[in-house]
DNA sequence: TTGTACGCGTTATCAG
DNA sequence: CTGATAACGCGTACAA
């Protein structure tokens, strides 16, 4: 309770105030007049310790402000209680929320999270993975930027620790995965657009090297195919505003411009909106608009943007639970998380020709 | 290059494919027919190693896929090459960007980043701090949610490693700090509002326990005092949409409603906008609006919101550089980073009475 | 230039 | 129930 750490004179040869080198089990053992191994037993809650022993040791620990050295513990036990998190862009609010959700449950279970931003470079991601392995992470949460990168995949396959893929699909891996069910969300959006009378729908998509983009593209094509006279256009690219801007300009100034647009990410949405503004196209009079994933303030746009949404914190929490679950032996499971569609005034009937 | 790791039969008693336990220096030394310390010298670039030695060792390392164990290294050397990052809400894009900026320069210098979200609870932050200390972080980046929390401050003061405060001011600490110059940004905003004819300006502010809110409040009061007949109102609270909503409703339905509003954070802005929408008050006809820190999509609102902005990635990079700089002996420096003001149509002359 | 031996702070095994 | 003691994987004086 009180913090006058060790005011007894003479007992300690060092300058009194804060112990320069933090105390170790050794000092604790001496202070308590017991063996070092007994101290160990106390801090690791070993059943075979007498109450008197525990008392003495805990007192010494308190007086010295002892904190066990996690590094030494890890070296000895093999467990680091550290989980790695690698993603292309934690600056993206979606991923930041996922990371936050994950960190929360990890910490609750006694784990710390090591993060790394791979900036869409598989090479960097691999390097970061190595760095984490050297730190003996007990598990890994990763959202690769390219599911086809051989070197990275090989590293993931041969990893000796549990892995959870975040919205990614890599064939030859036994990793667990949290997968968002993009299909139902985009299907709802597309069907809604079709019911409004749209016949030409375009998807300004992200990278084809990752699952979300692929699933969205496939679903759009599929749904379009289920209805007569529906044309679907897909512009693959990267998850950037630049791509959103360029693709939208091309699409909307081309011969048969689509009457409805779906932006494949919040970054892409920014580009799409810039292009539409520049072209003086209004929503939904000139073109209906849907985007993927929530963005702050989107509710205040005029019109608000229809959104295919999901719960990022839940994704993060689930990912964390999935890595931890693998410690109990079970193989990497695949968990599917729902996706919703919230329609707003950004979707309306297409302009009559 | 090739990955048929050790296909020689008989040499290894284990199943051939991937070595179950990763190789250590010991195996490398045996394989190369040298002493274990020589291996150590090679991987730590010790000058006194013959080329032949280096060759042999590197070959063995390659063949075994050896990676040095960072934990053991840390235990031995005392350096963990790990920096902690503690903040109240990494889900907040501002902090996520800061974290990203920091992680980038840390990694470039060979450091990994351990993150923790403190959810505005000093108690949790302290716990996380302890956890990181046990992991022997070499330094810490922290943005406390309450500069007056005694327990946390005491822990920071007595820390044995360099610290950089992120936009926080704690008296009794020798930590370095990256401080945004909120004063000039908000001064520019307020003077602009005054020049438009506003005489009653309100700040829907964040927590008074942190520097940014205080500096903004002080500056608003000061600038108002420099001009005749200007009334300033300040509503302290927390950095939440709820506070923004509640405060705005009260302010705008009260006796002398202000003609201009400044939102103290992007979360607060959301609440302010909700309240204004509910009250059917239009911007800037009924009330002019300014917010602090950039938010995605704010450029697409009608009108776009005037913003007091700063560069979050730069803040993060600077914070990282500031911790690392302290390794070279120098005391914790204080770096001030600029703040700008971008005005848009959300500011206009006040409605005539 | 290279090898030997000890210690970093813990945990775990084995006697007592 | 408690106490010595050997690892964990590596760095580093020190000796050869």
């Amino acid at each position: 309770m009180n913090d006058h750490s060790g005011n007894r004179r003479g007992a300690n040869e060092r300058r009194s105030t804060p112990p320069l080198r933090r105390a170790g089990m050794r000092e604790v053992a001496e202070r308590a007049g017991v063996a070092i191994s007994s101290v160990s037993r106390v801090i690791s809650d070993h059943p075979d310790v007498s109450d008197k022993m525990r008392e003495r040791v805990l007192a010494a620990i308190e007086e010295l402000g002892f904190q066990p050295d996690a590094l030494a513990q890890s070296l000895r036990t093999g467990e680091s209680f550290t989980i790695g998190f690698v993603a292309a862009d934690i600056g993206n609010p979606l991923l930041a929320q996922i990371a936050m959700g994950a960190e929360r449950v990890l910490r609750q279970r006694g784990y710390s999270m090591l993060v790394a931003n791979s900036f869409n470079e598989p090479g960097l991601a691999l390097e970061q993975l190595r760095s984490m392995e050297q730190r003996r992470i007990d598990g890994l949460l990763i959202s690769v930027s390219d599911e086809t990168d051989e070197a990275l995949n090989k590293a993931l396959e041969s990893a000796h620790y549990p892995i959870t893929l975040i919205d990614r699909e890599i064939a030859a891996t036994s990793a667990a995965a949290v997968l968002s069910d993009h299909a139902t969300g985009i299907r709802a959006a597309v069907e809604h657009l079709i019911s409004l009378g749209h016949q030409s729908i375009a998807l300004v998509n992200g990278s084809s090297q990752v699952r979300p983009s692929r699933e969205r593209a496939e679903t759009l094509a599929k749904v379009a195919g289920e209805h007569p006279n529906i044309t679907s256009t897909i512009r693959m690219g990267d998850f950037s505003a630049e791509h959103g801007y360029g693709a939208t300009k091309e699409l909307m100034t081309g011969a048969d411009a689509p009457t409805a647009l779906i932006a494949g990410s919040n970054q892409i949405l920014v580009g799409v909106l810039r292009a539409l503004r520049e072209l003086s196209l209004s929503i939904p009079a000139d073109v209906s608009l849907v985007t993927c994933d929530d963005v702050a303030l989107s509710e205040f746009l005029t019109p608000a943007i229809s959104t295919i949404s999901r719960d990022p914190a839940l994704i993060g929490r689930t990912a964390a639970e999935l890595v931890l679950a693998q410690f109990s032996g079970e193989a990497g499971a695949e968990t599917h998380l729902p996706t919703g569609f919230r329609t707003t005034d950004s979707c309306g009937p297409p302009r009559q020709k």
Side-chain angles (χ1 to χ4, degrees), chain A residues 41-42 46-57:
Chain A
R41 288 194 190 90
V42 171
H46 189 99
D48 298 341
V49 294
S50 66
D51 292 350
K52 202 174 59 181
M53 175 86 255
R54 192 186 319 283
E55 234 175 83
R56 294 173 61 86
V57 173

Side-chain angles (χ1 to χ4, degrees), chain A residues 180-196:
Chain A
S180 290
D181 180 18
H182 301 99
T184 69
I186 199 170
R187 169 178 285 277
V190 174
E191 284 178 342
H192 179 245
L193 289 169
I194 292 175
S195 75
L196 286 172

Side-chain angles (χ1 to χ4, degrees), chain A residues 156-177:
Chain A
L156 292 174
E157 286 163 32
S158 60
H160 294 122
Y161 43 85
I163 297 177
T164 296
L165 265 23
I166 299 179
D167 218 7
R168 295 293 183 268
E169 231 164 3
I170 298 178
T173 187
S174 59

Side-chain angles (χ1 to χ4, degrees), chain A residues 109 320-331:
Chain A
R109 305 269 217 104
E321 277 159 11
L322 244 38
V323 240
L324 299 181
Q326 294 177 72
F327 293 152
S328 318
E330 35 200 305

Side-chain angles (χ1 to χ4, degrees), chain A residues 5 10 15 58 60-61 78 94 125 161 186 192 217 242:
Chain A
S5 46
R15 298 167 205 75
L58 287 178
I61 286 178
L94 181 74
Y161 43 85
I186 199 170
H192 179 245
E242 290 66 38

Side-chain angles (χ1 to χ4, degrees), chain A residues 228-247:
Chain A
N229 307 322
I230 300 293
T231 308
S232 70
T233 311
I234 291 160
R235 278 283 197 286
M236 290 291 188
D238 54 28
F239 293 97
S240 72
E242 290 66 38
H243 167 57
Y245 175 84

Side-chain angles (χ1 to χ4, degrees), chain A residues 100-115:
Chain A
M100 204 178 100
E103 197 266 338
R104 186 180 169 74
V105 350
L106 290 178
R107 183 160 301 279
Q108 279 168 180
R109 305 269 217 104
Y111 288 79
S112 289
M113 194 171 90
L114 222 35
V115 307

Side-chain angles (χ1 to χ4, degrees), chain A residues 328-348:
Chain A
S328 318
E330 35 200 305
E334 225 173 57
T335 296
H336 290 257
L337 259 28
T339 262
F341 175 59
R342 206 174 50 244
T343 183
T344 68
D345 295 340
S346 75
C347 294

